[in-house]
Amino acid sequence: MTALTGTLVGPGVDFRLDEQLADLQRRAHEFADRELVPNAARWDREASFPRSAIDAAAREGFLRMTIPTEYGGLAASNVANCILLEEINRGCASTGVTVSVHNSLFSSPVAKHGTPEQKAEYLPKMATGEWLGAYCLSEAGAGSDAAALRCAARRDGDDWILDGAKLWITSGSVADCFVVFARTNEHRTRGISAFLVEKGYAGCSVGKKEVKLGLRGSPTTEILLENCRVPNKNMLGEEGNGFKIALDTLDGGRLGIAAQSLGIMRACLEAATKFACEHDAVGSQQRFQWKIADIATALDAARLLTWRAAHLRDIGENCTMQSAMAKSFASRMCNQAARDAVEICGAAGIGGGADVERLMRDARITEIYEGATDIQRLVVARGVMA
Ligand code: CAA
């Protein structure tokens, strides 16, 4: 495999994409038009997992982004990952979050913190899409306050025994392996460790599936761990370092959700512009123009924040605050864009399978998962005040 190292910024500042990134963007755009746009409304209506799209994404190499080349990956930059996710989410946000979680929340922490044995075991299967990955942090009593998690891991010889219920797990029923965060001692944050748990392990099962407002093609489920025996060799990173791995992983994951917001915003802009042009022969109604101008401006601003944070992560700088800024701003602008797009389309935008109605429902979660907007504000405020 050749590494996909495309970057944004050469000597000085240059926001044009280099050849590799432009090629990735074009391929992802064509993929979305071919595989996603024609099917997204049906996957939403039927709440069905877009398996064919995920298989097609795997064939394109889109599930190998964050995996090192020696394990069959593309070692793609965070900027490349954001460009890919914007294009995919423009076509289908359910497919978008599946790809994002697989790349950013599973393969990325395994590549960064895994032992050579763990990488050799899991990353090649993740690269080809033979297996899908997911991330189990949240619990009923530990959503925004992630360190409050109670899922317990106790040592038993060469194994750990995990007990607890994980909630709101994206891809829960379709994933083959999970990064699970569990408590190995009572210290609030340093008592948390990370484990790689295969869906086939005895005691690991899928619980209730959520019926959701949006992203209905992406299955969100409970993951139940009952007396689940996990070999010690499957601990990811050091014992007690799990919370830092969780938050560092989310710094990258939030870029994926910022990029998802950009993709949904793009779809809103395209739908609203099409409607405005078709329903106003001279394209001169200010009530359309102002909203379209605002969506386009917010989209560009959010993209610059997202790419800036991704670039910082690529060069190994801390991007916690910048990633939170990007996620918070992009997701709020995405929701505003969806409301505006529905308003522009009027009665045609609120029913009958209108794209903007689905986009408005899909947009809502971008402000909730991978850290709600108020958590992003908390992270930004802490960064500013530190
Ligand atoms: N990277 C690495 N380490 C970090 C870090 C980061 N970005 N941020 C903090 N840490 C470290 C701190 O330095 C600290 O280390 P020490 O113990 O050595 O001092 C430790 O982690 C604890 O940090 P805090 O004291 O800041 O922790 P906190 O309890 O105050 O929590 C929080 C901070 C920001 C509120 C955090 O709980 C949070 O991000 N909450 C939101 C949870 C979330 O995003 N959940 C998403 C679920 S996954 C999901 O949604 C996936 C999906 O479906 C798509």
Side-chain angles (χ1 to χ4, degrees), residues 13-305:
V13 176
D14 183 345
F15 294 104
R16 288 169 302 179
L17 303 187
D18 70 12
E19 214 176 291
Q20 270 193 321
L21 290 178
D23 180 59
L24 172 71
Q25 187 182 51
R26 180 190 50 73
R27 286 196 303 114
H29 188 89
E30 289 170 4
F31 166 82
D33 276 348
R34 188 175 65 243
E35 306 284 343
L36 308 181
V37 173
N39 298 309
R42 177 172 55 82
W43 292 325
D44 171 69
R45 197 169 54 248
E46 297 171 356
S48 57
F49 179 63
R51 175 63 70 185
S52 61
I54 297 301
D55 291 345
R59 287 194 295 277
E60 293 283 346
F62 297 157
L63 301 188
R64 55 177 92 235
M65 297 293 284
T66 55
I67 294 175
T69 51
E70 59 267 43
Y71 300 104
L74 290 169
S77 59
N78 287 278
V79 170
N81 212 19
C82 288
I83 287 168
L84 170 72
L85 288 171
E86 178 178 335
E87 296 303 325
I88 292 183
N89 280 287
R90 172 189 151 270
C92 170
S94 292
T95 306
V97 73
T98 310
V99 173
S100 184
V101 166
H102 175 85
N103 286 333
S104 309
L105 297 192
F106 186 91
S107 298
S108 177
V110 174
K112 190 164 178 180
H113 306 282
T115 61
E117 292 74 24
Q118 289 169 348
K119 292 185 210 180
E121 174 70 28
Y122 294 111
L123 293 181
K125 290 187 254 204
M126 296 291 165
T128 58
E130 183 191 341
W131 276 26
L132 281 180
Y135 176 92
C136 301
L137 178 65
S138 305
E139 298 177 9
S144 285
D145 184 8
L149 66 85
R150 300 305 316 161
C151 179
R154 72 182 154 81
R155 191 72 196 252
D156 183 35
D158 282 342
D159 300 330
W160 292 86
I161 309 291
L162 269 59
D163 270 297
K166 293 293 183 178
L167 204 54
W168 306 305
I169 306 307
T170 299
S171 301
S173 56
V174 292
D176 300 278
C177 196
F178 308 93
V179 178
V180 174
F181 298 91
R183 185 160 290 292
T184 43
N185 74 53
E186 282 310 309
H187 189 283
R188 202 181 111 79
T189 53
R190 294 179 203 163
I192 295 172
S193 303
F195 298 88
L196 298 172
V197 179
E198 298 182 17
K199 80 163 181 211
Y201 285 175
C204 175
S205 62
V206 177
K208 80 168 157 67
K209 182 180 174 195
E210 304 291 343
V211 177
K212 296 185 301 179
L213 172 74
L215 253 60
R216 288 164 49 80
S218 155
T220 303
T221 73
E222 260 182 324
I223 292 296
L224 304 174
L225 300 155
E226 295 162 298
N227 226 6
C228 179
R229 188 171 285 276
V230 179
N232 185 48
K233 67 178 174 56
N234 275 32
M235 179 177 275
L236 182 65
E238 310 242 310
E239 183 177 342
N241 217 26
F243 196 60
K244 287 185 185 171
I245 293 176
L247 293 188
D248 175 61
T249 300
L250 284 170
D251 285 349
R254 287 168 185 166
L255 296 173
I257 305 307
Q260 171 172 64
S261 307
L262 301 178
I264 297 173
M265 247 195 279
R266 282 256 304 284
C268 289
L269 184 61
E270 287 174 18
T273 306
K274 183 166 180 285
F275 183 92
C277 291
E278 284 172 0
H279 291 81
D280 171 17
V282 287
S284 60
Q285 286 191 30
Q286 284 194 334
R287 70 193 175 90
F288 289 161
Q289 286 181 345
W290 287 349
K291 286 198 187 316
I292 286 170
D294 285 352
I295 299 173
T297 306
L299 174 61
D300 270 18
R303 188 183 291 114
L304 289 174
L305 278 177

